[in-house]
Amino acid sequence: MSEPLLELQEVTVRFGGHVAVDSVDLSVDPGTITGLIGPNGAGKTTTFNVITGLQAPTTGHLHFGGKDITRARAHRRAQAGIGRTFQRLEVFGSLTARENVLVGVELRRRWGRRAKPTPVALALLAETGLIQPSSGPEVLGGILAREETDALLDLVGISHVANTRADELPTGLARLVELARALATRPRLLLLDEPASGQDESETEAFAQLLVRLAGTGMGILLVEHDVPLVMQLCSKVCVLDFGSVLATGTPAEVQADKAVIDAYLGAEPVSAEAIEHLDAGA
Amino acid sequence: METFFQFFIVFALQAAGIYAVAASGLVVTYATSGVFNFAHGAIGMFCAFSYWELSQNRGWPSWIALVVVLFVEAPLIGLVLDRVIMRRLADASTITTIVVTIGLLVAFVQLAGMIWPQGSTTRVLPEFFVGDTVKVFGINVSYHAVIVLITAILVAVVLRVLLYETRLGVAMRAVVDNRELGALNGVHPDRISSVSWMLGSMLAALAGVLIAPILPQFTPVALTLLVISAYAAAMVGRLRSLPLTFLGAVILGEFESLLNWIDTKGIGGHTVADVANDLQTSAPVILLFVVLILLPQDRVAGRSSRRYNAPTPSLRTMAMAMVAYVAGAYVIAQSGWVSKTTVDQLGVGIALGIVMLSLVLLTGYGGQVSLAQPGFAGIGALVVWKMGPVGGLVAGVVICAAVGVLVALPALKMRDLYLALSTMAFALFLETNIYGENALFKQFLPFSVGNASVRRIPGLEGDTAFFMVMAVAFALIVLLLTVIRNGSFGRRLQAMRDSPSACVTLGLDLTATKLQAFGLAAAIAGLGGALLAMWKETSVGVADFSLLKGPLPGLPLVLVAVVFGITTAFGAVIGGPVFVLLPLIGTWYPALENIMNLAPGLAGIGLGQNPDGAVGQVAESFARDEPSADHPPPPPRVPVVPERVGAAGRPTAEEIRELDDVLGLSWGRCETKAAPR
Ligand SMILES: Nc1ncnc2c1ncn2[C@@H]1O[C@H](COP(=O)(O)OP(=O)(O)O)[C@@H](O)[C@H]1O
Ligand SMILES: [Mg+2]
């Protein structure tokens, strides 16, 4: 890979006197899953907000697909191929799960009418089974918005609740609605903010497999997750944040061996779920 | 020099003192309960009228009357409001609190109109120590002005001491964002709430009693609208800083005096002086609008948004319903079963129903609050009156759409409360300075005195024919809304209502979508207004489109619309006729007149119990799903706790202080003080 899909350079965000993100450098490569971990309040969500344009950085630069997007407006970034889910659920509560995804599909069809589908988009559609892996962009014209929606619901495994109002879904399923909705924009970069919280063990297992399949389409994924074993299992690269700044970046093995990280976040003993919960509560 | 002193010191500061008293009451209740009390001025009005009743009508000594009003009646009103209404709004959405307090406003105005009927007598409330003056720098200053100033200063001192030196006050400041936080100080949150509403009412009453004597008109509406000045001053203080609120009051007082000065001195020639004269009454509205635009938007603006549970009827169902509606209208217009007066009134109801439909699109689907819809109806009427029936209808709709977009532009970033205030300010400006009593354009005079004549569409002039035109127009708009609701634009609007940030991350341009919604809604309201003007044919004017004045005022209209449900078009089918029939029922059964007049206000207040509107609730009770075995009730969501504040366990004193700084009712910006134990 010659250049990263997303690159943050010395991004800083201040809220009044409080530095939430402190000169962060971060990059995500296409087709890989990058982990972003750190205790509560470390600045992970704020970093996501900066990447998606919901929060302007105080200083620093962002590049996406080789272009400087520091000043781009939020909806433009989405149109350029950045999709996300939210830690605090942002489903469209009065719409059904299917309608939630349909909104995404319809919006993409409005602003993406003239754009040529990216290789990631084609691979994603092939993953849903809507098109053959070998087919080119010309077959896309025949796909109806409803078909695409149902295919996405199926892909993330929530077809059985398609007609349930999103605000009546349990958290774990609602997170999957958000994921399907984000996929509806056929993003090249997917940001997931604690997607596995609210899921049980078997759900998490299925979810991990889904993420691997998504990365296989060439999509770059940035994953914020408290389930550290999950992050270490999935990610090719992990970035640890603490008090807004990067403590360490590297492969899971490197990060787990890092002294500063162990002291600040992981703890000396092997990481147990309770330990992390404890850390979260104390942060 | 002499007059300069009089204008900019005496008049300006006298007005400023009263605004400051009123505005600080507003800030105290908002900061402690999170409810912006639209009825603040109406409470002051009601107390001022009570004071008049006791001191003038019943001849009680002024001071006794004053004590009774300020220290018995006003706190009692505050206490009852808190116990009966406000406490239930603790978790309500901002839209619900807006509707409930506007309902209260309307109810107080109607109640005052019933107790003290207008028209027959002109009441006068004399100044305190009328005629007595003191000499300051050789100028005669009325005792009243001196009293006002002293009162304002006293209020400032008392509030400062109360909020900073007493345990209750510290708890009041802490309770702002977190009820449990206040309880830490050992003061029960309910008590804080009661005290703040009692205090707020007393300050409203004090302002009402002080301002009534120096107003040109002593009427419920005039007095109630003074609250706009309080809104403006309180907004300068961003609804939390009392010193800035006082500063806002002074800015407003000076601004009014400046306009008065330009007018009186004829500065800048006739034209400028005339404009200044016309604008004087709108000074608070202008300041409010400007402050709202300049105000950085709060990140803590929104409260939990409410659940929308509207049924989504299919186009087929709606089409059948609308065929029945039009057929029913035909029977009513044609059969002669219904008297001409009733048909006249029902026609008005259909037209106003169209105005209500505009709210279905904007608020019901899009989640955008607007109190300006009656104003857009007024523009529609103005245009058909000026440009004739056919061209005017088209032009009216187009112009309204354009104005709707223009109004929405500065309001794009505003959340519910600010949006409500700025659209209200816009509507008030329209009804005063565009087509109202102080119209800047003198050619609108017939409209502003209410005797414009409007022609109907050629070939459809007959009463029955035009009644049917309106019914069909209504039905078509209902169908249009249904198509929108079930289509992609409607889904986008609802998505925007439910989560703007998620919409943006799907590539939705919020600006464009909001502008579309505002424009389309304004166009629909304009059409309703134009049809209403044509239906009335004669004596069309500002009174038909005013927010509070006239036989069918706009604020109650909005209330009825919301109460009957704005999440579906069905609400307006019933809401429009009910709204116009309420006064009519009152004339049929005089015993019911009072209750009929109060109905919209009471219904608005009742919305606190049923935020989805009557029609929505009835429909839902039919459509309710039985909980099935394989879909157990969802587990509770992760609670949304502001991460900064007391996220873990009990908040510390440090956090209380921080909270106080960030959200609290602050006296000075950076000042923090340890809570006395
Ligand atoms: N809009 C905001 N205004 C002020 N402070 C904020 C805002 N958003 C987040 N913060 C603060 O910034 C820090 C980082 O928050 P966040 O990015 O949500 O952390 P994380 O997602 O890692 O838990 C926290 O201390 C949080 O309180
Ligand atoms: Mg977070």
Side-chain angles (χ1 to χ4, degrees), chain A residues 73-75 78-79 86 88-90 92-94 102 106-107 110-111 165-171 181 185 281, chain B residues 307-309 488 491-492 494-495 497-499 502-509 511 634-635 637 640-641 643 648:
Chain A
R73 291 175 59 197
H75 67 277
Q79 295 175 4
F86 293 84
R88 284 190 198 164
L89 287 173
E90 293 278 353
F92 305 134
S94 60
L102 185 57
E106 284 172 340
L107 277 169
R110 281 170 62 83
W111 51 253
R165 272 176 66 118
D167 58 4
E168 283 166 4
L169 290 172
T171 313
R181 188 180 66 184
T185 64
Chain B
R307 274 182 60 116
Y308 293 82
N309 279 323
S488 107
R491 267 190 295 277
R492 244 177 295 148
Q494 293 174 82
R497 178 193 67 197
D498 288 351
S499 171
C503 281
V504 184
T505 60
L506 296 176
L508 177 81
D509 185 351
T511 311
R637 283 277 166 78
V640 183
V641 182
E643 281 172 30

Side-chain angles (χ1 to χ4, degrees), chain B residues 135-154:
Chain B
K135 272 216 181 316
V136 183
F137 301 120
I139 312 268
N140 287 330
V141 179
S142 71
Y143 266 36
H144 192 83
V146 175
I147 288 178
V148 165
L149 273 184
I150 294 176
T151 309
I153 293 168
L154 270 179

Side-chain angles (χ1 to χ4, degrees), chain A residues 40-41 43-46 87 193-194 224 226, chain B residues 643:
Chain A
N40 271 350
K44 305 179 295 292
T45 299
T46 307
Q87 177 186 357
D193 203 344
E194 305 196 12
V224 165
H226 279 312
Chain B
E643 281 172 30

Side-chain angles (χ1 to χ4, degrees), chain B residues 493-531:
Chain B
L493 285 179
Q494 293 174 82
M496 179 174 77
R497 178 193 67 197
D498 288 351
S499 171
S501 19
C503 281
V504 184
T505 60
L506 296 176
L508 177 81
D509 185 351
L510 285 183
T511 311
T513 313
K514 281 188 191 174
L515 290 183
Q516 286 162 9
F518 266 95
L520 189 53
I524 293 174
L527 177 68
L531 290 175

